[in-house]
Amino acid sequence: MTALRRHILRFARREDGFLAAEFIIMFPLLIWAFLAIYGFYDVMRVKVQNEKAAYSISDMLSRETQYITPTYISNTKKFYDYLLNGGNNSALRVSSVRYSDSDDQYKITWSQVRGGQSALTSSDIYDYHDHLPILASGDELILVETWNDYEFPVETGIDDFTMTTFVFTRPRFAAQLKFDPDG
């Protein structure tokens, strides 16, 4: 028994194992920090990818001089999903908005949606008044809105959320972007 007691006392006096104990305590926190940094990096990567896709679609639509058709909008949604590498539960809304100087109001000329959202209405556009640019009376702009559900690649305690974009562009080569529902 005295030999066992002597080994226990010698073990208690030694200090060379404290570094290992500190490492064992800090290692999970260090791993969590690396995973959180990777998660935040991935959020910013997907956000930038989402915004670039929305700007690409807005630019593509601003160059159109022909009528836009439902097939065109559906293919634009497929293009959006392709730019997002598949996208998670994504939605796309394209709207043509006209400004009326007489009553200082934006009015919806047409709005098309692909995905789980609803078409933009004139009552909805009233809430966008502070976010839209000042236009001359009768001018139109193209409003592209996107939604994409984001799922964190690692579990860090932050909930998944929906990324949204809001991009507006004036038509470049025509006075307005026209929609043909029968096209």
PDB file of all heavy atoms in Angstrom, residues 73-87:
ATOM      1  N   ILE A  73     -39.620  33.477 -68.281  1.00  0.00           N
ATOM      2  CA  ILE A  73     -39.503  33.621 -66.822  1.00  0.00           C
ATOM      3  C   ILE A  73     -39.150  32.269 -66.191  1.00  0.00           C
ATOM      4  O   ILE A  73     -38.314  32.197 -65.288  1.00  0.00           O
ATOM      5  CB  ILE A  73     -40.802  34.191 -66.216  1.00  0.00           C
ATOM      6  CG1 ILE A  73     -41.100  35.581 -66.779  1.00  0.00           C
ATOM      7  CG2 ILE A  73     -40.728  34.232 -64.701  1.00  0.00           C
ATOM      8  CD1 ILE A  73     -40.139  36.654 -66.371  1.00  0.00           C
ATOM      9  N   SER A  74     -39.769  31.196 -66.653  1.00  0.00           N
ATOM     10  CA  SER A  74     -39.461  29.861 -66.117  1.00  0.00           C
ATOM     11  C   SER A  74     -38.003  29.491 -66.373  1.00  0.00           C
ATOM     12  O   SER A  74     -37.324  28.940 -65.503  1.00  0.00           O
ATOM     13  CB  SER A  74     -40.382  28.808 -66.732  1.00  0.00           C
ATOM     14  OG  SER A  74     -41.718  29.054 -66.379  1.00  0.00           O
ATOM     15  N   ASN A  75     -37.527  29.789 -67.575  1.00  0.00           N
ATOM     16  CA  ASN A  75     -36.125  29.506 -67.893  1.00  0.00           C
ATOM     17  C   ASN A  75     -35.177  30.416 -67.114  1.00  0.00           C
ATOM     18  O   ASN A  75     -34.064  30.012 -66.773  1.00  0.00           O
ATOM     19  CB  ASN A  75     -35.874  29.623 -69.389  1.00  0.00           C
ATOM     20  CG  ASN A  75     -36.501  28.487 -70.161  1.00  0.00           C
ATOM     21  OD1 ASN A  75     -36.711  27.404 -69.624  1.00  0.00           O
ATOM     22  ND2 ASN A  75     -36.826  28.728 -71.416  1.00  0.00           N
ATOM     23  N   THR A  76     -35.618  31.625 -66.812  1.00  0.00           N
ATOM     24  CA  THR A  76     -34.822  32.518 -65.978  1.00  0.00           C
ATOM     25  C   THR A  76     -34.686  31.939 -64.572  1.00  0.00           C
ATOM     26  O   THR A  76     -33.610  31.996 -63.969  1.00  0.00           O
ATOM     27  CB  THR A  76     -35.461  33.915 -65.928  1.00  0.00           C
ATOM     28  OG1 THR A  76     -35.548  34.430 -67.258  1.00  0.00           O
ATOM     29  CG2 THR A  76     -34.656  34.872 -65.086  1.00  0.00           C
ATOM     30  N   LYS A  77     -35.753  31.356 -64.050  1.00  0.00           N
ATOM     31  CA  LYS A  77     -35.696  30.691 -62.736  1.00  0.00           C
ATOM     32  C   LYS A  77     -34.731  29.504 -62.786  1.00  0.00           C
ATOM     33  O   LYS A  77     -33.947  29.293 -61.850  1.00  0.00           O
ATOM     34  CB  LYS A  77     -37.096  30.232 -62.332  1.00  0.00           C
ATOM     35  CG  LYS A  77     -37.167  29.296 -61.136  1.00  0.00           C
ATOM     36  CD  LYS A  77     -36.801  29.961 -59.846  1.00  0.00           C
ATOM     37  CE  LYS A  77     -37.160  29.127 -58.634  1.00  0.00           C
ATOM     38  NZ  LYS A  77     -36.474  27.879 -58.475  1.00  0.00           N
ATOM     39  N   LYS A  78     -34.750  28.744 -63.868  1.00  0.00           N
ATOM     40  CA  LYS A  78     -33.803  27.628 -64.017  1.00  0.00           C
ATOM     41  C   LYS A  78     -32.368  28.145 -64.069  1.00  0.00           C
ATOM     42  O   LYS A  78     -31.461  27.552 -63.484  1.00  0.00           O
ATOM     43  CB  LYS A  78     -34.110  26.832 -65.281  1.00  0.00           C
ATOM     44  CG  LYS A  78     -35.375  26.023 -65.197  1.00  0.00           C
ATOM     45  CD  LYS A  78     -35.638  25.307 -66.508  1.00  0.00           C
ATOM     46  CE  LYS A  78     -36.987  24.632 -66.492  1.00  0.00           C
ATOM     47  NZ  LYS A  78     -37.312  24.022 -67.787  1.00  0.00           N
ATOM     48  N   PHE A  79     -32.171  29.269 -64.746  1.00  0.00           N
ATOM     49  CA  PHE A  79     -30.852  29.897 -64.815  1.00  0.00           C
ATOM     50  C   PHE A  79     -30.404  30.348 -63.421  1.00  0.00           C
ATOM     51  O   PHE A  79     -29.258  30.155 -63.035  1.00  0.00           O
ATOM     52  CB  PHE A  79     -30.902  31.070 -65.795  1.00  0.00           C
ATOM     53  CG  PHE A  79     -29.616  31.839 -65.921  1.00  0.00           C
ATOM     54  CD1 PHE A  79     -28.455  31.227 -66.336  1.00  0.00           C
ATOM     55  CD2 PHE A  79     -29.580  33.190 -65.622  1.00  0.00           C
ATOM     56  CE1 PHE A  79     -27.264  31.941 -66.457  1.00  0.00           C
ATOM     57  CE2 PHE A  79     -28.408  33.911 -65.732  1.00  0.00           C
ATOM     58  CZ  PHE A  79     -27.243  33.281 -66.150  1.00  0.00           C
ATOM     59  N   TYR A  80     -31.320  30.926 -62.670  1.00  0.00           N
ATOM     60  CA  TYR A  80     -31.023  31.348 -61.294  1.00  0.00           C
ATOM     61  C   TYR A  80     -30.599  30.151 -60.446  1.00  0.00           C
ATOM     62  O   TYR A  80     -29.610  30.210 -59.716  1.00  0.00           O
ATOM     63  CB  TYR A  80     -32.245  32.049 -60.701  1.00  0.00           C
ATOM     64  CG  TYR A  80     -32.113  32.393 -59.245  1.00  0.00           C
ATOM     65  CD1 TYR A  80     -31.222  33.359 -58.816  1.00  0.00           C
ATOM     66  CD2 TYR A  80     -32.896  31.757 -58.289  1.00  0.00           C
ATOM     67  CE1 TYR A  80     -31.101  33.687 -57.472  1.00  0.00           C
ATOM     68  CE2 TYR A  80     -32.792  32.073 -56.953  1.00  0.00           C
ATOM     69  CZ  TYR A  80     -31.888  33.037 -56.558  1.00  0.00           C
ATOM     70  OH  TYR A  80     -31.768  33.351 -55.233  1.00  0.00           O
ATOM     71  N   ASP A  81     -31.347  29.061 -60.530  1.00  0.00           N
ATOM     72  CA  ASP A  81     -30.992  27.858 -59.775  1.00  0.00           C
ATOM     73  C   ASP A  81     -29.638  27.313 -60.213  1.00  0.00           C
ATOM     74  O   ASP A  81     -28.855  26.841 -59.388  1.00  0.00           O
ATOM     75  CB  ASP A  81     -32.070  26.785 -59.940  1.00  0.00           C
ATOM     76  CG  ASP A  81     -33.342  27.135 -59.192  1.00  0.00           C
ATOM     77  OD1 ASP A  81     -33.288  27.960 -58.262  1.00  0.00           O
ATOM     78  OD2 ASP A  81     -34.398  26.576 -59.551  1.00  0.00           O
ATOM     79  N   TYR A  82     -29.349  27.389 -61.501  1.00  0.00           N
ATOM     80  CA  TYR A  82     -28.053  26.929 -62.005  1.00  0.00           C
ATOM     81  C   TYR A  82     -26.917  27.783 -61.434  1.00  0.00           C
ATOM     82  O   TYR A  82     -25.877  27.256 -61.024  1.00  0.00           O
ATOM     83  CB  TYR A  82     -28.038  26.985 -63.532  1.00  0.00           C
ATOM     84  CG  TYR A  82     -26.675  26.731 -64.132  1.00  0.00           C
ATOM     85  CD1 TYR A  82     -26.145  25.453 -64.193  1.00  0.00           C
ATOM     86  CD2 TYR A  82     -25.911  27.779 -64.615  1.00  0.00           C
ATOM     87  CE1 TYR A  82     -24.894  25.214 -64.722  1.00  0.00           C
ATOM     88  CE2 TYR A  82     -24.656  27.566 -65.147  1.00  0.00           C
ATOM     89  CZ  TYR A  82     -24.159  26.275 -65.205  1.00  0.00           C
ATOM     90  OH  TYR A  82     -22.904  26.056 -65.723  1.00  0.00           O
ATOM     91  N   LEU A  83     -27.123  29.101 -61.394  1.00  0.00           N
ATOM     92  CA  LEU A  83     -26.098  29.988 -60.848  1.00  0.00           C
ATOM     93  C   LEU A  83     -25.858  29.746 -59.358  1.00  0.00           C
ATOM     94  O   LEU A  83     -24.772  30.016 -58.848  1.00  0.00           O
ATOM     95  CB  LEU A  83     -26.469  31.450 -61.082  1.00  0.00           C
ATOM     96  CG  LEU A  83     -26.421  31.922 -62.530  1.00  0.00           C
ATOM     97  CD1 LEU A  83     -26.944  33.351 -62.644  1.00  0.00           C
ATOM     98  CD2 LEU A  83     -25.023  31.815 -63.097  1.00  0.00           C
ATOM     99  N   LEU A  84     -26.879  29.236 -58.667  1.00  0.00           N
ATOM    100  CA  LEU A  84     -26.739  28.942 -57.244  1.00  0.00           C
ATOM    101  C   LEU A  84     -26.332  27.497 -56.988  1.00  0.00           C
ATOM    102  O   LEU A  84     -26.389  27.039 -55.850  1.00  0.00           O
ATOM    103  CB  LEU A  84     -28.048  29.212 -56.508  1.00  0.00           C
ATOM    104  CG  LEU A  84     -28.497  30.656 -56.426  1.00  0.00           C
ATOM    105  CD1 LEU A  84     -29.796  30.754 -55.658  1.00  0.00           C
ATOM    106  CD2 LEU A  84     -27.440  31.508 -55.774  1.00  0.00           C
ATOM    107  N   ASN A  85     -25.961  26.781 -58.023  1.00  0.00           N
ATOM    108  CA  ASN A  85     -25.604  25.358 -57.895  1.00  0.00           C
ATOM    109  C   ASN A  85     -26.754  24.549 -57.316  1.00  0.00           C
ATOM    110  O   ASN A  85     -26.584  23.752 -56.419  1.00  0.00           O
ATOM    111  CB  ASN A  85     -24.350  25.170 -57.046  1.00  0.00           C
ATOM    112  CG  ASN A  85     -23.143  25.804 -57.657  1.00  0.00           C
ATOM    113  OD1 ASN A  85     -22.979  25.787 -58.871  1.00  0.00           O
ATOM    114  ND2 ASN A  85     -22.293  26.386 -56.832  1.00  0.00           N
ATOM    115  N   GLY A  86     -27.942  24.795 -57.819  1.00  0.00           N
ATOM    116  CA  GLY A  86     -29.122  24.046 -57.385  1.00  0.00           C
ATOM    117  C   GLY A  86     -30.054  24.853 -56.514  1.00  0.00           C
ATOM    118  O   GLY A  86     -31.249  24.789 -56.660  1.00  0.00           O
ATOM    119  N   GLY A  87     -29.540  25.622 -55.606  1.00  0.00           N
ATOM    120  CA  GLY A  87     -30.393  26.430 -54.734  1.00  0.00           C
ATOM    121  C   GLY A  87     -31.262  25.562 -53.839  1.00  0.00           C
ATOM    122  O   GLY A  87     -31.600  24.446 -54.178  1.00  0.00           O
TER     123      GLY A  87
END
